[in-house]
Amino acid sequence: GENVEQHPSTLSVQEGDSAVIKCTYSDSASNYFPWYKQELGKGPQLIIDIRSNVGEKKDQRIAVTLNKTAKHFSLHITETQPEDSAVYFCAARYSGTYKYIFGTGTRLKVLA
Amino acid sequence: AAGVIQSPRHLIKEKRETATLKCYPIPRHDTVYWYQQGPGQDPQFLISFYEKMQSDKGSIPDRFSAQQFSDYHSELNMSSLELGDSALYFCASSLTPKFGGYTFGSGTRLTVV
């Protein structure tokens, strides 16, 4: 069935260190993978995305990698800052639909 | 830049009452999606509309219904409310379903007492 697994559920890093969040999806025909950042009391905010025909995408301190064979994709945040603290959700858009299946979220804490 | 507008921001209802949540997409966006997010949970897809027609259906209870109007705004109607319906309800919009990521609104927090 449709499923996106996300790890870890919580992650604490020191300011300036890197953070990596990993997701695995089940539908090999999925073709679009966005990452969302959600702060308390706010809606999810798109921070980066990647399509299935690309292996890696970078935007300043944020990068996403995709391994289609293994059905894995990961979010990498470098030089973390306290304002990066939030819940991060990965998602996969399944073939034939436009809905997203979200991962279970990772609560990232960046310690100053 | 204009964002997705949801109203109301907060809503308190009693069990068995009805509620209507409204969503105004980003101008020119023709696709609207509704998600439900319980406390500490990931967003769960409810339903979506493209050009005023239902395009996808997820785990939306039969007690809920939704529609998209000619101006592309959408309303989620919830009847016979149950305590378990208490959650954040997010609306998102995109320019056609095929284009990239969609933009979420700030959500409506529904509390059923």
Side-chain angles (χ1 to χ4, degrees), chain A residues 32 34 36 38 41-46 49 51 89 93 96-105 107, chain B residues 9 33 35 37 40-43 45 56-58 88 90 97-106 109:
Chain A
Y32 177 72
Y36 283 86
Q38 187 174 25
K42 297 184 178 180
Q45 178 186 9
L46 178 68
D49 56 12
R51 299 183 186 278
F89 290 99
R93 185 170 66 195
T97 79
Y98 298 106
K99 65 181 181 182
Y100 296 163
I101 303 299
F102 281 86
T104 47
R107 182 172 298 280
Chain B
R9 285 300 310 274
Y33 313 80
Y35 282 79
Q37 186 177 31
Q41 303 294 312
D42 54 291
F45 175 76
D56 267 315
K57 191 172 183 179
L88 271 169
F90 289 105
K98 294 181 286 186
F99 277 76
Y102 35 75
T103 303
F104 281 86
S106 298
R109 181 175 295 280

Side-chain angles (χ1 to χ4, degrees), chain B residues 22-82:
Chain B
K22 296 185 179 183
C23 170
Y24 297 86
I26 291 172
R28 292 185 289 114
H29 280 194
D30 52 16
T31 308
V32 170
Y33 313 80
W34 286 97
Y35 282 79
Q36 177 191 59
Q37 186 177 31
Q41 303 294 312
D42 54 291
Q44 296 291 315
F45 175 76
L46 293 178
I47 196 167
S48 64
F49 293 87
Y50 168 56
E51 282 292 344
K52 293 154 278 184
M53 299 288 289
Q54 180 182 307
S55 55
D56 267 315
K57 191 172 183 179
S59 52
I60 184 169
D62 292 340
R63 299 177 289 106
F64 295 4
S65 65
Q67 58 181 324
Q68 186 180 32
F69 295 86
S70 56
D71 63 351
Y72 296 105
H73 94 272
S74 178
E75 295 183 3
L76 177 66
N77 298 294
M78 311 160 72
S79 62
S80 303
L81 288 169
E82 301 173 356

Side-chain angles (χ1 to χ4, degrees), chain A residues 74-86:
Chain A
S74 299
L75 177 71
H76 304 253
I77 306 174
T78 59
E79 301 172 26
T80 53
Q81 302 167 2
E83 51 266 38
D84 294 330
S85 297

